[in-house]
Amino acid sequence: MIEYWKRNILESWDVFSRNSFLLITPCVLLFLIFYYVGVNLKNETISNTQLILILAVSLIAVGIHIGAISITYQSIINKKIAFTDIFQKFHILHIILIPQIAFFAFLFILLNIFPISGYVFVLIAIILYSLFLFFYDYLIVIENLSMKEAILRNYQLVSTYPQIVLQFMLVSFLIGFCLTILPLIGTVLSMCFVRIVGVKLFLMLNNHSK
């Protein structure tokens, strides 16, 4: 697998270099939104207006994230992309959000019913998220599956290739860690590069398991 990751990273660099501006743009927008939300959440008192604005901006961030997946996939398969493509997937926002909200609601209920330590809770959350939602966004955006189909397909992929998913988590961490030497821009580059590597991995696993 070392050769695969080497090839994946080199090919991802080629993808990035062909459309660097358009691939970085959604990451910059997401970084600015995360910064804005983070700053506002640090306030001791948040007005209803601020809360609504934070919620609205967060929804915009999810829509941009979906668009980023779409243009990354199009870049990988050598399709022409445009700036407006980043904002063309807002119509599937609810399909992305519903399982995520249900998942975090389940975790909230679990945490309040059972006396679980913090480390155990985090481990359970990571395992469950990986099993049911790890590739979910990719399956919705790229494969156009329904919610049920995407969740079942994600379970099939992750349960079939758990070691590769764990390797991807490690590779993503290493990419992010290495790029943190570059203030601010390192975070944006790591977001962009990890997404490309992740989409390429998803396409490989999805094709192999068909």
Side-chain angles (χ1 to χ4, degrees), residues 4 8 11-12 76 195-204:
Y4 165 76
N8 185 324
E11 291 175 354
S12 295
I76 290 172
R195 182 178 288 112
I196 299 172
V197 173
V199 172
K200 286 183 64 62
L201 173 65
F202 163 74
L203 293 173
M204 186 270 287

Side-chain angles (χ1 to χ4, degrees), residues 157-176:
L157 289 173
V158 175
S159 59
T160 303
Y161 305 103
Q163 71 283 3
I164 300 179
V165 172
L166 287 172
Q167 289 173 21
F168 172 63
M169 291 179 181
L170 177 60
V171 169
S172 299
F173 171 78
L174 291 175
I175 291 173

Side-chain angles (χ1 to χ4, degrees), residues 135-160:
F135 293 117
Y136 177 82
D137 295 358
Y138 298 165
L139 288 160
I140 295 296
V141 176
I142 298 172
E143 295 293 317
N144 296 312
L145 300 182
S146 66
M147 280 190 284
K148 180 181 177 181
E149 290 171 336
I151 291 171
L152 292 175
R153 181 64 174 160
N154 182 90
Y155 178 82
Q156 180 188 2
L157 289 173
V158 175
S159 59
T160 303

Side-chain angles (χ1 to χ4, degrees), residues 33 120 161 177 201:
I33 290 173
V120 174
Y161 305 103
F177 179 77
L201 173 65

Side-chain angles (χ1 to χ4, degrees), residues 20-206:
S20 56
F21 174 76
L22 288 174
L23 291 174
I24 282 180
T25 299
C27 297
V28 172
L29 294 174
L30 288 172
F31 178 82
L32 293 174
I33 290 173
F34 293 154
Y35 178 78
Y36 171 80
V37 171
V39 168
N40 279 273
L41 289 178
K42 286 181 181 179
N43 295 335
E44 293 184 2
T45 57
I46 302 176
S47 66
N48 291 335
T49 303
Q50 285 179 306
L51 193 59
I52 293 171
L53 185 57
I54 290 171
L55 180 59
V57 170
S58 299
L59 291 175
I60 291 172
V62 177
I64 293 173
H65 160 69
I66 301 169
I69 294 173
S70 179
I71 64 170
T72 299
Y73 170 65
Q74 292 177 60
S75 297
I76 290 172
I77 62 175
N78 286 316
K79 280 192 175 182
K80 186 178 180 180
I81 58 175
F83 176 77
T84 53
D85 293 334
I86 299 171
F87 309 98
Q88 296 299 314
K89 294 293 181 179
F90 277 77
H91 63 283
I92 60 172
L93 196 62
H94 64 291
I95 301 176
I96 296 293
L97 283 174
I98 290 174
Q100 307 280 351
I101 294 171
F103 174 75
F104 286 107
F106 170 77
L107 290 181
F108 178 78
I109 294 171
L110 183 68
L111 188 61
N112 282 274
I113 293 178
F114 299 102
I116 306 173
S117 68
Y119 292 113
V120 174
F121 176 75
V122 170
L123 180 61
I124 292 173
I126 292 173
I127 292 173
L128 291 178
Y129 186 88
S130 299
L131 282 172
F132 298 106
L133 296 173
F134 196 80
F135 293 117
Y136 177 82
D137 295 358
Y138 298 165
L139 288 160
I140 295 296
V141 176
I142 298 172
E143 295 293 317
N144 296 312
L145 300 182
S146 66
M147 280 190 284
K148 180 181 177 181
E149 290 171 336
I151 291 171
L152 292 175
R153 181 64 174 160
N154 182 90
Y155 178 82
Q156 180 188 2
L157 289 173
V158 175
S159 59
T160 303
Y161 305 103
Q163 71 283 3
I164 300 179
V165 172
L166 287 172
Q167 289 173 21
F168 172 63
M169 291 179 181
L170 177 60
V171 169
S172 299
F173 171 78
L174 291 175
I175 291 173
F177 179 77
C178 292
L179 289 175
T180 52
I181 60 174
L182 303 171
L184 298 180
I185 188 62
T187 302
V188 173
L189 287 174
S190 65
M191 289 169 63
C192 182
F193 208 70
V194 166
R195 182 178 288 112
I196 299 172
V197 173
V199 172
K200 286 183 64 62
L201 173 65
F202 163 74
L203 293 173
M204 186 270 287
L205 297 181
N206 197 41

